[in-house]
Amino acid sequence: MLGQFKGDGGTDYAAMPMICSSGEINSITWLTDRAGGFSDDEIAGLANVANALAIIVELQATRRIARHLMDTYVGHRTGERVLSGAITRGSGEAIRAVVWLCDLRGFTALTDSLARDRVIGLLNDYFEAMVDVVTAEGGEPLKFMGDGMLAIFELGATEDPGDRCAAALRAARAAAEKVAARNLERRSAGEPAIRFGLALHLGEVSYGNIGAPTRLDFTVIGPAVNQAARLEKLGHELGRTVVTSASFAAAAPESLENIGRHSLRGVSEAQEVFAPILSNAAGSTH
């Protein structure tokens, strides 16, 4: 490297440590093509610059790592809120959103019959597919709950809900196609197929912090989330991969199949339930 610098006209080179508060050492390098190179006073001045920059580099690196961790573990929007200081228990806001709740079918039986590594491999394949399609359509996965995933497609204050419903439907179809393609690979490798169910519901949720003073969860709660969970279980009973609520179907920009009125546990009145048309690869879970 020094030979290349000299060939390019370099006359002096200096490397200096930048020591972080954690003890981690980064480095900064200086190169000049001035005749005579750096003087002793200039080297001392550059060392002072390195010490000052060490603080800035550490702050920026720490924030970049924190943002990456927040994005990875709680999602981009939620992570930004946490980093900005929204960490008070009970704080939150009411938002309208499409609630996405998906779950693996037959997972309990699989965990009883498969080795741990194969179970983890199945979960990773399944969650990767779900997260990819949700984020591609502007949704935000909020949390994994065992073999389930909760996500939202948040509506802006004046946004037409049809746009978010359309995005959720595109994501649902993409999920069915992605899982079908992955199942071909899994079967050829002697692994069990991924079978999932998904419920989509449009409603108002409370979005914010819940939990204990020393351990918080930033998530969505409310009747809309509960109804989505009940819908997903009903979809399993009906042999449907994807089901939606009446509120979702009314706002969706396409006609959905009405599959009748059904009782949902914890919901006082029977609810109309709908289903989109999927490809033949994943139209039902029979």
Side-chain angles (χ1 to χ4, degrees):
M1 184 177 65
L2 292 176
Q4 178 185 342
F5 290 161
K6 186 175 181 180
D8 292 339
T11 59
D12 206 352
Y13 171 86
M16 299 173 181
M18 292 195 301
I19 303 174
C20 299
S21 60
S22 64
E24 179 184 350
I25 300 177
N26 295 309
S27 64
I28 186 168
T29 60
W30 313 91
L31 177 69
T32 183
D33 60 359
R34 190 181 62 186
F38 299 120
S39 68
D40 290 345
D41 287 343
E42 288 167 344
I43 288 293
L46 291 174
N48 289 334
V49 173
N51 289 334
L53 286 177
I55 300 172
I56 298 172
V57 168
E58 181 174 5
L59 288 172
Q60 293 297 327
T62 300
R63 183 166 181 81
R64 184 172 65 251
I65 292 170
R67 181 178 288 110
H68 177 71
L69 288 173
M70 289 292 101
D71 285 356
T72 300
Y73 281 93
V74 300
H76 180 71
R77 183 182 186 277
T78 300
E80 287 295 323
R81 290 176 63 93
V82 172
L83 285 174
S84 68
I87 55 174
T88 304
R89 183 169 63 153
S91 65
E93 60 182 311
I95 63 172
R96 281 180 58 76
V98 172
V99 178
W100 166 298
L101 202 152
C102 60
D103 197 21
L104 277 174
R105 301 277 165 84
F107 182 67
T108 301
L110 287 173
T111 58
D112 289 339
S113 61
L114 293 179
R116 181 182 65 87
D117 289 347
R118 295 177 70 191
V119 172
I120 292 174
L122 183 146
L123 284 172
N124 285 339
D125 283 350
Y126 156 64
F127 283 133
E128 180 181 345
M130 297 298 117
V131 170
D132 283 353
V133 299
V134 167
T135 55
E137 291 294 344
E140 180 163 15
L142 292 177
K143 62 193 305 183
F144 302 129
M145 305 168 295
D147 60 325
M149 186 183 88
L150 173 64
I152 58 171
F153 294 78
E154 183 182 352
L155 275 70
T158 59
E159 184 177 2
D160 179 358
D163 294 338
R164 295 290 79 204
C165 291
L169 285 171
R170 288 194 299 269
R173 291 190 171 99
E177 294 168 2
K178 189 178 283 281
V179 166
R182 183 61 59 89
N183 279 341
L184 293 177
E185 299 171 2
R186 291 182 58 82
R187 289 191 182 100
S188 65
E191 296 294 334
I194 298 168
R195 297 171 56 247
F196 76 95
L198 166 63
L200 300 171
H201 176 50
L202 174 64
E204 185 175 283
V205 295
S206 296
Y207 179 67
N209 282 304
I210 59 171
T214 57
R215 180 63 174 87
L216 294 174
D217 189 13
F218 210 114
T219 187
V220 292
I221 59 173
V225 179
N226 297 336
Q227 185 163 342
R230 304 292 186 261
L231 275 171
E232 194 282 318
K233 298 302 181 187
L234 177 65
H236 187 190
E237 297 171 9
L238 298 176
R240 297 281 184 150
T241 299
V242 182
V243 292
T244 84
S245 66
S247 63
F248 181 95
E254 64 180 81
S255 296
L256 304 180
E257 178 188 358
N258 188 325
I259 54 178
R261 296 182 66 86
H262 299 271
S263 297
L264 301 178
R265 185 166 62 88
V267 180
S268 57
E269 297 182 359
Q271 302 290 310
E272 283 190 304
V273 181
F274 295 77
I277 298 174
L278 301 178
S279 68
N280 293 332
S284 70
T285 55
H286 286 306

